[in-house]
Structure formats: C-alpha cells, structure tokens
Amino acid sequence: MRLWLLDLDDTLLQDHGVSQGVLEALGQEVGVKGFFPAVKARAEALFRQAPFYPWAERIGHSALEALWARYTTPGLEALAAWAWPFRERVFREALWLLGGPVERARELAEAFFHERRRYPLFPEVPGFLEALRAKGAGLVLLTNGVPDLQREKLFGAGLGEAFSLTLISGEVGLGKPDPRLFRMALCAFGVAPEEAVMVGDNPERDVQGALLAGLKAVWVDRGHRPRDPRYPAHLEVQDLRQALALLEG
C-alpha cells in the first residue's frame, strides 16, 4: 500500500476508555455507581436537542466530546456559550438518576473538563508508525470532529508531526463516511484507490467511507464498538501491527 489513511480516536489514541475511566473515578468520589453510562446517556440525549446537532453529526463530533471541547476555533463561539449550561445539566441529571449529590454537578463537570485532557496512545502505535515510515508509505490522518479538540488530541499525543497530511472534518466541512474526504487524500498524493488503505475502529464511518471511495478497509476492534455486518472490512485486526504484517508482508 502506497498510502495509509489512519483514524485517530480509538485507532491510534485511547479515547473511549479514558472518558470511561475519568467518569468512573468521579462517580466513586461522590459515592455513585454507573456514573459513566449515566453521563453518556444524558449527554447523548441532550446533545440531540442542540440547535447545531445536525452539523455535529455530519462532522462526527460526539456528545462525550462536547463535555470537554474548548470550542476555541473561530466560528464556534455559539457552541462555547452553549457548552457549560449543557455540561452542568448533563451531570446534574445523571447524579439525580443515580441518587447522587446534584449540588455537585458543576464541580464534577469542571473536573471532567480538566481531568479528561489525557492522550495515551495504544502501545503498538509508535512502532507501527515508524515501520510504515521505514517502508516509505504516505501517512494521512483522517479524523472527524471539531478542529481545536482534534488538534489538541493530536499534539497532546505527540503526533503533531507524524503525518504528511491531516484532514479534520470540522476544518474541511466533510466528515467520514463521505467518500469525498477520502478522495481528498488520494488526490493530494496522486494515488489510486487500490493503492490505499483506511484503518479505523468505526465501521459506519471509517469502513463505510473507505468502501464508498474504493479503498481497502481495515477495522480495528478496540473492544467497545461492535462489528457492523452492513460494512464488511477487507481485514479485521485487534492490533495495528497485524494490519501491517498482513497487508505489507
């Protein structure tokens, strides 16, 4: 493969597990169990009521991300104003459902906003990227989300200089699975679809988009997102090194 398109969250960077761990720890602090699923459920329900939800869905910005995004990108001022009332309500309703101290909702929302800023890579990622570079492969980051948060994750994880091209849906106005986003990467390098592969953990966005654009698709099973039979990947792995070994030999 001449060109590797790589997803960020839960492909290279541990994302879901970090949010879960931080919220579970905060729940323990106030004596409630099941805090992560309760916060996630309330966040998703209330996020769907936001006036900009169709845009967020289109670019792949999630409700959990809305709990800690800074929204400093020019043009997102309305989201920045909306965010804190949303966060406080999410935590208040989750605490109420669990019989917790609702008066601590703002405190916990602020704690999550600060403590969530962790960017651990999956263990195999540094070696995987180095092996691809050694083979002369082109590396493209193809990630959904709002620009400031995705850039923060990228640089926080030490990957700011790792890619020849970075395409963030909130910057270019197209989100996975729109095949045009994938074709942008192909055009930038003059690579045919059959010479490229997309690697990601989301069947509906990463795999479907790759298939629509004619690329090979690799699904990385990180344990929290089920296989989707509607979008069968060419290859399924649990470790990125498996993808490299099977596709490159």
Side-chain angles (χ1 to χ4, degrees), residues 87-222:
R87 292 163 185 161
E88 188 170 354
R89 184 179 174 188
V90 166
F91 279 80
R92 185 173 64 251
E93 292 186 6
L95 286 167
W96 183 84
L97 288 169
L98 298 173
V102 295
E103 68 276 7
R104 297 187 64 180
R106 177 73 183 207
E107 173 193 342
L108 294 180
E110 291 177 350
F112 182 75
F113 180 82
H114 293 292
E115 294 178 23
R116 178 56 186 82
R117 317 203 102 78
R118 306 174 187 176
Y119 321 98
L121 297 173
F122 286 98
E124 79 272 18
V125 167
F128 168 73
L129 294 176
E130 183 57 38
L132 285 177
R133 283 191 287 266
K135 289 179 175 290
L139 298 181
V140 176
L141 185 74
L142 205 64
T143 180
N144 279 356
V146 293
D148 58 289
L149 183 59
Q150 295 310 103
R151 293 280 177 185
E152 178 181 342
K153 293 176 185 178
L154 183 63
F155 282 87
L159 297 179
E161 306 299 328
F163 301 95
S164 301
L165 176 65
T166 295
L167 294 174
I168 298 174
S169 64
E171 291 179 348
V172 301
L174 297 171
K176 297 176 288 186
D178 192 320
R180 291 175 295 175
L181 187 62
F182 297 75
R183 290 172 185 145
M184 282 184 184
L186 298 178
C187 290
F189 290 86
V191 171
E194 59 270 18
E195 298 177 296
V197 58
M198 175 71 210
V199 183
D201 77 298
N202 191 320
E204 187 174 6
R205 293 190 181 274
D206 299 317
V207 175
Q208 181 185 191
L211 297 176
L212 289 172
L215 282 67
K216 284 193 178 300
V218 175
W219 177 54
V220 186
D221 180 6
R222 294 301 190 185

Side-chain angles (χ1 to χ4, degrees), residues 51-94:
F52 54 83
Y53 175 73
W55 169 82
E57 178 68 11
R58 187 166 62 252
I59 69 162
H61 177 47
S62 73
L64 278 176
E65 289 175 324
L67 295 176
W68 65 290
R70 298 185 190 275
Y71 297 128
T72 56
T73 304
L76 299 186
E77 293 82 3
L79 275 75
W82 162 90
W84 278 108
F86 161 76
R87 292 163 185 161
E88 188 170 354
R89 184 179 174 188
V90 166
F91 279 80
R92 185 173 64 251
E93 292 186 6

Side-chain angles (χ1 to χ4, degrees), residues 5-46:
L5 282 60
L6 303 172
D7 175 53
L8 181 60
D9 299 327
D10 287 319
T11 298
L12 305 176
L13 178 70
Q14 299 179 45
D15 186 71
H16 179 273
V18 176
S19 293
Q20 182 174 0
V22 172
L23 285 169
E24 287 178 347
L26 291 175
Q28 290 174 2
E29 286 184 19
V30 296
V32 297
K33 295 182 179 179
F35 200 44
F36 171 69
V39 169
K40 183 174 183 291
R42 294 316 302 148
E44 290 174 348
L46 295 173

